[in-house]
Amino acid sequence: MTGPSSSPRPEHAPQPGVTWQTELVRVEQLVDDDAPDPRPNRATRRAMKRAARRNR
């Protein structure tokens, strides 16, 4: 391990946005039990098609 340097590094300004105060916001959505299932996204639909082709 090295000891302290005889010429310390100067302080530097933080990057923009590092010192900003952030606030976490909860985004919860209630879904009714009788609501239809959401349509799968494109990647899921393609994966299901690919799996169906392989099982033939």
Side-chain angles (χ1 to χ4, degrees), residues 3-31:
S5 173
S6 60
S7 59
R9 296 183 185 145
E11 291 186 16
H12 65 281
Q15 294 177 343
V18 172
T19 58
W20 293 352
Q21 298 296 324
T22 59
E23 182 179 334
L24 297 177
V25 178
R26 296 189 88 145
V27 184
E28 294 183 7
Q29 295 179 347
L30 296 177
V31 179

